[in-house]
């Protein structure tokens, strides 16, 4: 019956392959990454009018002691220093 359903509703295949309707881990507030990952803060960038992208900025563990208790401004200044930045694009799962 599964092939028959896919034939009738081809959009179901995308749902089952990518599972982008699931948010895993369950019951986690992704707006507060410091509860999940050390030395991390949640920021929002406006890429164009009406489009806002949520990002996490994580500093390396070598700067972990320095990052303890710092506010958003410190993290923004850390982005501007001479250290390299690695961008990880997670896909379209709806969570970071």
């Amino acid at each position: 019956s599964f092939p028959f359903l896919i034939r009738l509703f081809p959009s179901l295949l995308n749902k089952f392959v990518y599972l982008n309707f699931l948010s895993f881990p369950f019951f986690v507030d992704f707006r507060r990454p410091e509860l999940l990952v050390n030395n991390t803060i949640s920021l929002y960038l406006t890429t164009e009018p009406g489009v806002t992208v949520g990002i996490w900025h994580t500093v390396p563990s070598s700067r972990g002691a320095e990052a303890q208790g710092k506010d958003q401004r410190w993290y923004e200044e850390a982005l501007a220093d001479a250290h390299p930045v690695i961008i990880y694009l997670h896909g379209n799962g709806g969570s970071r």
Side-chain angles (χ1 to χ4, degrees):
S1 67
F2 188 72
F4 180 71
L5 286 175
I6 296 300
R7 179 74 174 155
L8 286 177
F9 307 104
S11 63
L12 284 178
L13 185 59
N14 287 336
K15 296 287 185 192
F16 287 114
V17 169
Y18 297 110
L19 298 176
N20 57 359
F21 58 91
L22 292 178
S23 183
F24 185 80
F26 305 110
F27 309 111
V28 174
D29 185 5
F30 288 104
R31 294 169 294 179
R32 305 218 28 222
E34 63 274 7
L35 301 175
L36 299 169
V37 182
N38 293 330
N39 313 323
T40 303
I41 191 170
S42 183
L43 302 171
Y44 295 91
L45 300 175
T46 302
T47 57
E48 58 187 57
V51 178
T52 302
V53 178
I55 64 167
W56 283 0
H57 177 218
T58 304
V59 295
S61 59
S62 60
R63 296 185 72 187
E66 183 183 356
Q68 292 297 321
K70 301 295 187 197
D71 61 353
Q72 180 176 337
R73 184 174 179 201
W74 182 89
Y75 280 87
E76 289 172 355
E77 290 173 357
L79 280 172
D81 63 13
H83 293 89
V85 175
I86 298 171
I87 297 175
Y88 171 71
L89 304 172
H90 64 80
N92 64 352
S95 65
R96 290 182 236 162

